[in-house]
Amino acid sequence: RKRAEDSLLDSHHHLEALVQERTADLKRANAMLQQVQKLEAIGTLAGGIAHDFNNMLSAMIGYMELAKLETRSDRQMTYLDQALGVSNRARDMINQILIFSRHQEQERKPVLLVPLLKEGIKMLMSMLPSTIQITQNIAEKSTMILADATQIQQILMNLCTNAFHAMRDHGGILHIELVHENIKPGSKPQPLDLPAGEYAKLTVSDTGYGIEKKIINRIFDPFFTTKDPGEGTGLGLSVVYGIVRDYGGKINVVSEPGQGTAVSIHLPLIEPHIAPDLQPAEPIPLGTERILLVDDEAAVVEVGRNMLTSLGYQVTAQRSSTETLDIFRSQPDAFDLVITDMTMPHLRGDDLARELLKIRADIPIILCTGFSEMISEEKAKAIGIRSFIMKPLYRKELARAIREALNEKSAPQS
């Protein structure tokens, strides 16, 4: 009996280990599935992204050329303001794409659904062709759910790209609606069998060709697709289904061939947090300190030098990271702060920062990057870098980052 008990216990431990291993494998597979599907969605909309970005570049180039021709200063300022406004749109679009496509750990926290959806709709408007008319009816009252923001964006992107495919040939209307739905205890049975409570109901509908009755029950199956080869893997709706299920929500599809499709998602609401009062805008901070600036792009160096000089700083600008290291090594006390690009030949920005900190452990460093999988804000902080800024650089953001880096007391060295 003792041997049998020991054998049973060993078997139990072995099974527990197998279950934990299989659970970890499933989590990794699910994360990979979601990442592949995100990139597929971006790929589907790549033509729209390129089209809209080229439109933005055309507008920026046009406004700047007009500013060069104009002799009146007030007209010049108008043209430059227009060019800056268009460049802000381009920056926002790229930032949204990077956030959506980035592989990161999922973190559920209270998020306001309305601004998240509006950002997603703004991105879709720039990506989808003009043959697709986007209409919306978004409830303005506070709608807070416990979710990962990128997963909510993924739900919206997947549903809208599916709707786009259904209307791609002849165009149509894509309608996005968000309403509140209160299911009271003891109310008549719901078709989705939802527990009593407050829900956000997100509906994405299209006027496309619809779904045949014989396949509508299969649309959430992984890899099931009616698209032509090379146009999709059939992962979109299965990923949406998995996210909604994990959030304790339900999904419903109503469709008729030739009459379009409406996909509705119910997500449980949580109590909204009280938003803090908006603080008044602060003036742009200035300074007189000595800054060492390095970027391998000549135009970025020139703009950066002029921007920093306009803020009052004394600037030494370089295009070579190795020469920057030599200059700093020869006179480490000649500079109060270093601003470096991340991706440069010979010596990357993070490696340059490590070398600079070996020479002078208290030197404040700001690292700038347009996009890099090699570095994140957390990794930069771990190296000892004071501030991490995403390009393009804006004068106000750069000015604040410089003052914060200079005012921050050095952490005690171990």
Side-chain angles (χ1 to χ4, degrees):
R1 188 174 70 246
K2 179 66 172 143
R3 282 196 298 270
E5 287 174 352
D6 290 343
S7 177
L8 187 61
L9 187 61
D10 288 342
S11 298
H12 178 72
H13 289 156
H14 180 63
L15 283 172
E16 277 190 339
L18 286 175
V19 168
Q20 289 176 356
E21 184 180 342
R22 179 57 59 87
T23 301
D25 287 343
L26 288 173
K27 283 183 178 178
R28 283 192 293 269
N30 183 54
M32 188 178 297
L33 173 70
Q34 292 202 27
Q35 186 64 15
V36 167
Q37 201 285 315
K38 280 199 250 183
L39 297 177
E40 181 189 332
I42 291 293
T44 301
L45 300 172
I49 295 169
H51 174 268
D52 203 61
F53 207 78
N54 279 330
N55 280 345
M56 293 178 191
L57 286 175
S58 298
M60 282 188 275
I61 292 167
Y63 282 128
M64 287 186 283
E65 286 187 333
L66 288 171
K68 286 178 67 177
L69 294 171
E70 186 57 60
T71 56
R72 288 174 49 186
S73 60
D74 58 333
R75 294 289 294 275
Q76 279 185 335
M77 287 303 297
T78 299
Y79 289 140
L80 291 174
D81 285 342
Q82 293 287 355
L84 187 59
V86 175
S87 67
N88 285 337
R89 280 179 51 213
R91 182 200 195 195
D92 291 343
M93 187 176 89
I94 294 300
N95 189 47
Q96 286 296 317
I97 293 170
L98 287 176
I99 291 171
F100 176 72
S101 62
R102 190 175 296 136
H103 178 72
Q104 59 187 24
E105 291 295 320
Q106 295 162 13
E107 181 187 1
R108 293 189 198 178
K109 57 185 180 182
V111 293
L112 285 168
L113 200 51
V114 171
L116 203 57
L117 291 178
K118 288 194 172 182
E119 280 297 317
I121 292 169
K122 191 189 301 181
M123 181 166 64
L124 285 162
M125 283 178 169
S126 67
M127 293 176 178
L128 294 176
S130 56
T131 54
I132 307 296
Q133 180 186 351
I134 298 180
T135 61
Q136 55 182 296
N137 177 27
I138 306 294
E140 287 298 331
K141 59 180 178 177
S142 181
T143 308
M144 185 170 281
I145 62 173
L146 189 65
D148 178 89
T150 57
Q151 287 189 324
I152 297 301
Q153 281 191 327
Q154 191 166 11
I155 289 172
L156 182 66
M157 289 281 284
N158 289 350
L159 296 183
C160 290
T161 50
N162 274 355
F164 159 62
H165 268 284
M167 300 184 289
R168 185 171 52 177
D169 294 337
H170 306 291
I173 299 173
L174 170 62
H175 184 65
I176 301 164
E177 183 176 80
L178 178 71
V179 297
H180 282 202
E181 196 161 296
N182 183 14
I183 298 178
K184 297 180 179 178
S187 60
K188 63 180 181 178
Q190 299 290 321
L192 295 178
D193 195 27
L194 286 164
E198 295 275 346
Y199 291 88
K201 182 183 178 183
L202 172 66
T203 303
V204 175
S205 58
D206 64 69
T207 56
Y209 45 71
I211 304 171
E212 296 178 21
K213 282 185 168 56
K214 64 181 180 181
I215 65 169
I216 198 165
N217 290 329
R218 296 187 59 198
I219 60 175
F220 297 115
D221 294 348
F223 303 106
F224 176 78
T225 180
T226 58
K227 297 170 186 172
D228 294 333
E231 290 192 344
T233 59
L235 297 175
L237 285 178
S238 62
V239 167
V240 169
Y241 178 82
I243 295 172
V244 173
R245 179 199 59 204
D246 289 346
Y247 287 176
K250 293 290 179 72
I251 183 168
N252 186 46
V253 179
V254 177
S255 184
E256 289 288 340
Q259 300 297 315
T261 302
V263 183
S264 297
I265 290 169
H266 286 76
L267 296 171
L269 294 175
I270 61 173
E271 285 296 321
H273 292 192
I274 298 173
D277 293 334
L278 294 175
Q279 298 297 319
E282 297 178 1
I284 296 177
L286 307 177
T288 58
E289 287 86 352
R290 302 158 298 175
I291 294 179
L292 180 56
L293 169 70
V294 56
D295 195 299
D296 63 313
E297 185 67 41
V300 174
V301 169
E302 184 62 22
V303 169
R305 187 208 323 261
N306 290 329
M307 198 179 284
L308 293 170
T309 302
S310 74
L311 293 169
Y313 296 105
Q314 305 169 55
V315 185
T316 301
Q318 289 292 320
R319 290 183 56 194
S320 166
S321 53
T322 52
E323 288 180 14
T324 299
L325 180 57
D326 291 338
I327 290 171
F328 189 83
R329 186 179 283 124
S330 65
Q331 40 184 340
D333 294 324
F335 304 101
D336 300 302
L337 179 135
V338 177
I339 301 175
T340 176
D341 184 31
M342 174 60 188
T343 306
M344 297 182 289
H346 308 303
L347 193 63
R348 289 196 325 240
D350 56 340
D351 293 328
L352 173 62
R354 289 187 181 93
E355 295 301 318
L356 297 177
L357 290 167
K358 286 179 186 176
I359 298 167
R360 188 178 141 198
D362 66 335
I363 183 70
I365 300 173
I366 295 175
L367 181 67
C368 308
T369 182
F371 171 73
S372 176
E373 294 181 342
M374 305 295 295
I375 194 71
S376 65
E377 186 167 5
E378 292 74 23
K379 289 179 181 178
K381 294 286 186 183
I383 292 169
I385 294 167
R386 297 279 179 91
S387 186
F388 179 83
I389 303 178
M390 290 295 294
K391 291 180 178 177
L393 301 178
Y394 281 69
R395 187 169 177 267
K396 182 183 291 186
E397 292 176 13
L398 183 60
R400 287 176 180 168
I402 290 170
R403 289 307 338 152
E404 287 173 7
L406 288 169
N407 295 338
E408 182 184 328
K409 292 182 180 179
S410 301
Q413 301 297 314
S414 57

